[in-house]
Amino acid sequence: MDDTSTTLFDSYEQDFRHIISGISDKLEGNGKSQQGEQRKAALRKVELELDEADDIVSQLEIEVQGIPQSVKAPYAARLKQAKSDLTRYKKLSKELHSQAARSDLLGSFKNGTSSSDDPYGERSDRSRLLGGTEILEDGSRRIAESTSLALETENHGADILRSLRGQREQIENSRNTLQTADTHIDRATGTLKGMVRQMYRQKVLLSAIGVFFVVLVCVILYFKLVR
């Protein structure tokens, strides 16, 4: 059995679990205690790691297709679990982004509280609402940029995966060709060995015939000259 697909699957899954572990720590572990810009930076990093994890899941889908049916079931189950984990953390990341946006909006309201009676003052409700709108628009813009970057990365990753797939097929074809050549070489070697053995047998036979004639000549000469 060719273990190439299963070995690659195990390797990619190990990378996926390492990334998911880091995401879990940022969203549910030590990262939950972070606040302000530090928390925002962690969430942005989680977005990039989720994109990377998504690419790895795509690679796992490709590798599982090359696994023989006799051992495919457990690998398909592991792929399903990986997809489930990725979906869960994507949802959690989106929720935390929304919470952070709401916290920024509420914070701007709190910091902008004013005792002024002027409805169009610098710290009026109108100004705070406009500031909140700008924050939401900025968040939407960042999400759109992240989505665009994710799509570009996904397309680039798909091209790389297709290229790797083609290279692997070429390597497998080359290996099959070498195996066929080895088979022909083994057959040719067997034929040559048979020819060498046949040559040795003929050589021994000719030597025996030569010795026989020499002895015969000696016997004839003996009887002719001596008697």
Side-chain angles (χ1 to χ4, degrees):
M1 183 184 73
D2 185 6
D3 295 334
T4 302
S5 294
T6 57
T7 301
L8 288 174
F9 186 97
D10 292 337
S11 177
Y12 285 122
E13 185 185 33
Q14 184 177 3
D15 293 340
F16 175 81
R17 289 300 166 194
H18 178 72
I19 294 173
I20 287 295
S21 177
I23 292 173
S24 176
D25 183 65
K26 295 180 183 69
L27 298 182
E28 302 175 317
N30 297 328
K32 291 186 68 174
S33 61
Q34 296 175 338
Q35 298 295 332
E37 291 299 325
Q38 190 177 15
R39 184 61 171 163
K40 292 179 183 178
L43 291 176
R44 287 194 293 269
K45 187 172 182 182
V46 164
E47 287 184 2
L48 297 177
E49 291 176 340
L50 285 172
D51 291 339
E52 186 177 356
D54 200 1
D55 291 339
I56 294 178
V57 168
S58 298
Q59 183 61 42
L60 290 175
E61 290 177 335
I62 293 175
E63 296 304 330
V64 81
Q65 295 175 4
I67 297 177
Q69 290 294 333
S70 58
V71 296
K72 188 174 183 178
Y75 290 93
R78 287 157 62 181
L79 173 60
K80 183 178 180 181
Q81 182 60 47
K83 288 182 177 180
S84 177
D85 292 342
L86 180 60
T87 300
R88 172 174 172 266
Y89 284 111
K90 279 184 176 181
K91 183 178 179 181
L92 180 58
S93 175
K94 185 176 180 180
E95 292 175 354
L96 293 176
H97 271 289
S98 298
Q99 291 177 10
R102 285 196 297 270
S103 297
D104 288 341
L105 182 58
L106 293 174
S108 66
F109 287 165
K110 183 177 180 181
N111 295 330
T113 301
S114 173
S115 59
S116 174
D117 294 330
D118 182 3
Y120 299 102
E122 185 177 67
R123 296 178 179 270
S124 66
D125 290 343
R126 180 183 177 87
S127 298
R128 291 197 297 272
L129 287 174
L130 289 174
T133 302
E134 290 178 357
I135 292 174
L136 290 176
E137 289 177 350
D138 183 62
S140 299
R141 180 182 57 79
R142 291 183 179 180
I143 291 174
E145 291 176 353
S146 299
T147 302
S148 177
L149 178 61
L151 291 174
E152 292 179 1
T153 304
E154 182 179 357
N155 292 333
H156 184 61
D159 292 338
I160 294 175
L161 293 178
R162 283 193 292 269
S163 177
L164 292 174
R165 184 79 174 182
Q167 292 177 8
R168 189 177 71 177
E169 290 177 354
Q170 291 178 356
I171 292 173
E172 290 178 350
N173 291 334
S174 299
R175 183 182 60 189
N176 293 334
T177 302
L178 289 175
Q179 289 177 346
T180 303
D182 288 340
T183 301
H184 291 319
I185 291 173
D186 290 339
R187 291 177 180 175
T189 301
T191 302
L192 289 174
K193 288 181 179 178
M195 293 174 63
V196 170
R197 287 195 294 270
Q198 183 68 22
M199 181 186 68
Y200 281 128
R201 284 197 294 268
Q202 291 178 353
K203 186 175 181 180
V204 170
L205 181 61
L206 291 174
S207 298
I209 293 173
V211 171
F212 172 76
F213 278 111
V214 170
V215 172
L216 181 62
V217 170
C218 291
V219 170
I220 293 173
L221 290 176
Y222 172 79
F223 282 102
K224 288 287 185 179
L225 299 177
V226 176
R227 296 188 180 184

